[in-house]
Coordinates of all heavy atoms in Angstrom, one line a residue:
M25 N 8.1 -54.1 -3.3 CA 7.9 -52.8 -2.7 C 7.3 -52.9 -1.3 O 7.6 -52.1 -0.4 CB 7.1 -51.9 -3.6 CG 7.8 -51.6 -4.9 SD 9.4 -50.7 -4.6 CE 9.9 -50.4 -6.3
D26 N 6.3 -53.8 -1.2 CA 5.7 -54.0 0.2 C 6.8 -54.4 1.2 O 6.8 -54.0 2.3 CB 4.6 -55.1 0.1 CG 3.4 -54.6 -0.6 OD1 3.2 -53.4 -0.7 OD2 2.6 -55.5 -1.1
S27 N 7.7 -55.3 0.8 CA 8.8 -55.7 1.7 C 9.7 -54.6 2.0 O 10.1 -54.4 3.2 CB 9.6 -56.8 1.0 OG 8.8 -58.0 0.7
L28 N 9.9 -53.7 1.0 CA 10.8 -52.5 1.3 C 10.1 -51.6 2.3 O 10.8 -51.0 3.2 CB 11.0 -51.9 -0.1 CG 12.4 -51.1 -0.2 CD1 13.5 -52.1 -0.1 CD2 12.4 -50.5 -1.6
I29 N 8.8 -51.4 2.1 CA 8.1 -50.5 3.0 C 8.1 -51.1 4.4 O 8.2 -50.3 5.4 CB 6.6 -50.3 2.5 CG1 6.6 -49.6 1.2 CG2 5.8 -49.6 3.6 CD1 5.2 -49.5 0.6
A30 N 8.0 -52.4 4.5 CA 8.0 -53.0 5.8 C 9.3 -53.2 6.5 O 9.4 -53.6 7.7 CB 7.3 -54.4 5.7
A31 N 10.4 -52.8 5.8 CA 11.7 -53.0 6.4 C 11.9 -52.1 7.6 O 11.2 -51.0 7.7 CB 12.8 -52.5 5.3
K32 N 12.7 -52.5 8.5 CA 12.8 -51.8 9.8 C 13.4 -50.5 9.7 O 13.1 -49.5 10.4 CB 13.6 -52.7 10.8 CG 13.0 -54.0 11.2 CD 13.9 -54.8 12.1 CE 13.2 -56.2 12.5 NZ 14.1 -57.0 13.3
N33 N 14.4 -50.3 8.8 CA 15.1 -49.1 8.7 C 15.7 -48.9 7.3 O 15.6 -49.8 6.4 CB 16.2 -48.9 9.8 CG 17.1 -50.2 9.8 OD1 17.5 -50.6 8.8 ND2 17.3 -50.6 11.0
Y34 N 16.4 -47.8 7.1 CA 17.1 -47.5 5.8 C 18.1 -48.6 5.4 O 18.2 -49.0 4.3 CB 17.7 -46.1 5.9 CG 18.4 -45.7 4.7 CD1 17.7 -45.2 3.6 CD2 19.8 -45.7 4.6 CE1 18.4 -44.7 2.4 CE2 20.5 -45.3 3.4 CZ 19.7 -44.8 2.4 OH 20.4 -44.4 1.2
Q35 N 18.9 -49.0 6.4 CA 20.0 -49.9 6.1 C 19.4 -51.3 5.6 O 19.9 -51.9 4.8 CB 20.8 -50.1 7.3 CG 21.7 -48.9 7.7 CD 22.6 -48.5 6.6 OE1 23.1 -49.3 5.8 NE2 22.7 -47.1 6.4
E36 N 18.3 -51.7 6.2 CA 17.6 -52.9 5.8 C 17.1 -52.8 4.4 O 17.1 -53.7 3.6 CB 16.5 -53.3 6.8 CG 15.9 -54.7 6.4 CD 14.9 -55.1 7.5 OE1 15.0 -54.8 8.6 OE2 14.0 -55.9 7.1
C37 N 16.6 -51.6 4.0 CA 16.2 -51.4 2.7 C 17.3 -51.6 1.7 O 17.2 -52.2 0.6 CB 15.6 -49.9 2.5 SG 14.0 -49.7 3.2
L38 N 18.5 -51.0 2.1 CA 19.7 -51.2 1.2 C 20.0 -52.6 1.0 O 20.4 -53.1 -0.1 CB 20.9 -50.4 1.8 CG 20.8 -48.9 1.8 CD1 22.1 -48.3 2.3 CD2 20.4 -48.3 0.4
R39 N 19.9 -53.4 2.1 CA 20.3 -54.8 2.0 C 19.3 -55.6 1.1 O 19.7 -56.4 0.3 CB 20.3 -55.5 3.4 CG 21.5 -55.1 4.2 CD 21.6 -55.9 5.5 NE 20.5 -55.7 6.4 CZ 20.6 -54.8 7.4 NH1 21.7 -54.0 7.5 NH2 19.6 -54.6 8.2
L40 N 18.0 -55.2 1.2 CA 17.0 -55.9 0.3 C 17.3 -55.5 -1.1 O 17.2 -56.4 -2.0 CB 15.6 -55.4 0.7 CG 15.0 -56.0 2.0 CD1 13.8 -55.3 2.4 CD2 14.8 -57.5 1.9
L41 N 17.6 -54.3 -1.4 CA 17.8 -53.8 -2.8 C 19.1 -54.5 -3.3 O 19.1 -54.9 -4.5 CB 18.0 -52.3 -2.8 CG 16.7 -51.5 -2.6 CD1 17.0 -50.0 -2.3 CD2 15.8 -51.6 -3.8
S42 N 20.1 -54.6 -2.5 CA 21.4 -55.3 -2.9 C 21.1 -56.7 -3.2 O 21.6 -57.3 -4.2 CB 22.4 -55.2 -1.7 OG 23.6 -55.8 -2.1
D43 N 20.3 -57.4 -2.4 CA 19.9 -58.8 -2.7 C 19.2 -58.9 -4.0 O 19.2 -60.0 -4.6 CB 19.1 -59.4 -1.5 CG 19.8 -59.5 -0.2 OD1 21.1 -59.5 -0.3 OD2 19.2 -59.7 0.8
H44 N 18.5 -57.9 -4.4 CA 17.8 -57.9 -5.7 C 18.6 -57.4 -6.9 O 18.0 -57.2 -7.9 CB 16.5 -57.1 -5.5 CG 15.4 -57.5 -6.4 ND1 14.5 -58.6 -6.1 CD2 14.9 -57.0 -7.6 CE1 13.7 -58.7 -7.1 NE2 13.9 -57.8 -8.0
G45 N 19.9 -57.2 -6.7 CA 20.7 -56.9 -7.8 C 21.0 -55.4 -7.9 O 21.8 -55.0 -8.9
W46 N 20.5 -54.5 -7.0 CA 20.9 -53.1 -7.1 C 22.3 -52.9 -6.5 O 22.7 -53.6 -5.6 CB 19.9 -52.3 -6.3 CG 18.6 -52.1 -7.0 CD1 17.9 -53.0 -7.7 CD2 17.9 -50.8 -7.1 NE1 16.7 -52.4 -8.3 CE2 16.7 -51.1 -7.9 CE3 18.1 -49.6 -6.6 CZ2 15.8 -50.1 -8.1 CZ3 17.1 -48.6 -6.8 CH2 16.0 -48.8 -7.6
D47 N 23.0 -51.9 -7.0 CA 24.3 -51.6 -6.5 C 24.2 -50.7 -5.2 O 24.4 -49.5 -5.3 CB 25.1 -50.8 -7.6 CG 25.5 -51.7 -8.7 OD1 25.5 -52.9 -8.5 OD2 25.7 -51.2 -9.8
A48 N 23.7 -51.3 -4.2 CA 23.4 -50.6 -2.9 C 24.5 -50.8 -1.9 O 24.6 -51.8 -1.2 CB 22.1 -51.1 -2.4
G49 N 25.5 -49.9 -1.9 CA 26.5 -49.9 -0.9 C 25.9 -49.6 0.5 O 25.0 -48.8 0.6
E50 N 26.5 -50.1 1.5 CA 26.0 -49.9 2.9 C 25.9 -48.4 3.3 O 25.0 -48.0 4.0 CB 26.8 -50.7 3.9 CG 26.2 -50.7 5.3 CD 26.9 -51.7 6.2 OE1 27.5 -52.7 5.7 OE2 26.9 -51.5 7.4
G51 N 26.8 -47.6 2.8 CA 26.8 -46.2 3.2 C 26.2 -45.3 2.1 O 26.4 -44.1 2.2
D52 N 25.6 -45.9 1.1 CA 25.1 -45.0 0.0 C 24.0 -44.1 0.4 O 23.0 -44.6 1.1 CB 24.6 -45.9 -1.2 CG 25.8 -46.4 -2.1 OD1 26.9 -45.9 -1.9 OD2 25.5 -47.2 -3.0
A53 N 24.1 -42.9 0.0 CA 23.0 -41.9 0.2 C 22.0 -42.2 -1.0 O 22.4 -42.8 -2.0 CB 23.5 -40.5 0.1
P54 N 20.7 -41.9 -0.8 CA 19.7 -42.2 -1.8 C 20.1 -41.7 -3.2 O 20.0 -42.4 -4.2 CB 18.5 -41.5 -1.3 CG 18.6 -41.5 0.2 CD 20.1 -41.3 0.4
E55 N 20.6 -40.4 -3.3 CA 20.9 -39.9 -4.6 C 22.0 -40.7 -5.3 O 22.0 -40.8 -6.6 CB 21.2 -38.4 -4.5 CG 22.4 -38.1 -3.7 CD 22.1 -37.9 -2.2 OE1 21.0 -38.3 -1.8 OE2 23.0 -37.3 -1.5
V56 N 23.0 -41.2 -4.6 CA 24.0 -42.0 -5.1 C 23.5 -43.3 -5.7 O 23.8 -43.7 -6.8 CB 25.2 -42.2 -4.1 CG1 26.2 -43.2 -4.6 CG2 25.8 -40.9 -3.7
L57 N 22.7 -44.0 -4.8 CA 22.2 -45.2 -5.2 C 21.3 -45.1 -6.5 O 21.4 -45.9 -7.4 CB 21.3 -45.8 -4.1 CG 20.4 -47.0 -4.3 CD1 21.2 -48.2 -4.8 CD2 19.6 -47.3 -3.1
L58 N 20.4 -44.1 -6.5 CA 19.4 -44.0 -7.6 C 20.1 -43.6 -8.9 O 19.7 -44.0 -9.9 CB 18.4 -43.0 -7.2 CG 17.6 -43.4 -5.9 CD1 16.6 -42.2 -5.5 CD2 16.8 -44.7 -6.1
K59 N 21.2 -42.8 -8.8 CA 21.9 -42.4 -10.0 C 22.6 -43.6 -10.6 O 22.6 -43.8 -11.8 CB 23.0 -41.3 -9.6 CG 23.7 -40.9 -10.9 CD 24.8 -39.9 -10.6 CE 25.5 -39.4 -11.9 NZ 25.9 -40.5 -12.8
K60 N 23.2 -44.5 -9.7 CA 23.8 -45.7 -10.2 C 22.8 -46.5 -11.0 O 23.2 -47.1 -12.1 CB 24.4 -46.5 -9.1 CG 25.7 -45.8 -8.6 CD 26.5 -46.8 -7.7 CE 25.8 -47.1 -6.4 NZ 26.7 -47.9 -5.4
E61 N 21.6 -46.7 -10.5 CA 20.6 -47.5 -11.2 C 20.1 -46.8 -12.5 O 19.9 -47.5 -13.5 CB 19.4 -47.7 -10.2 CG 19.8 -48.7 -9.1 CD 20.3 -50.0 -9.5 OE1 19.7 -50.6 -10.4 OE2 21.4 -50.4 -9.0
R62 N 20.0 -45.5 -12.5 CA 19.6 -44.9 -13.7 C 20.7 -45.0 -14.8 O 20.4 -45.2 -15.9 CB 19.3 -43.4 -13.4 CG 18.8 -42.6 -14.6 CD 18.3 -41.2 -14.3 NE 17.0 -41.3 -13.6 CZ 16.8 -41.0 -12.3 NH1 17.9 -40.6 -11.5 NH2 15.6 -41.0 -11.8
D63 N 21.9 -44.8 -14.3 CA 23.0 -45.0 -15.3 C 23.1 -46.4 -15.9 O 23.3 -46.6 -17.1 CB 24.4 -44.7 -14.6 CG 24.5 -43.2 -14.2 OD1 23.8 -42.4 -14.8 OD2 25.5 -42.9 -13.4

Side-chain angles (χ1 to χ4, degrees):
M25 291 302 180
D26 286 340
S27 300
L28 211 59
I29 294 170
K32 295 178 181 178
N33 52 43
Y34 179 79
Q35 293 302 321
E36 185 173 332
C37 285
L38 292 184
R39 286 193 291 272
L40 287 170
L41 289 166
S42 181
D43 290 344
H44 206 80
W46 281 44
D47 292 335
E50 189 170 332
D52 277 353
E55 60 273 16
V56 173
L57 167 64
L58 300 174
K59 182 184 184 309
K60 286 193 291 186
E61 291 303 312
R62 181 171 287 110
D63 289 347

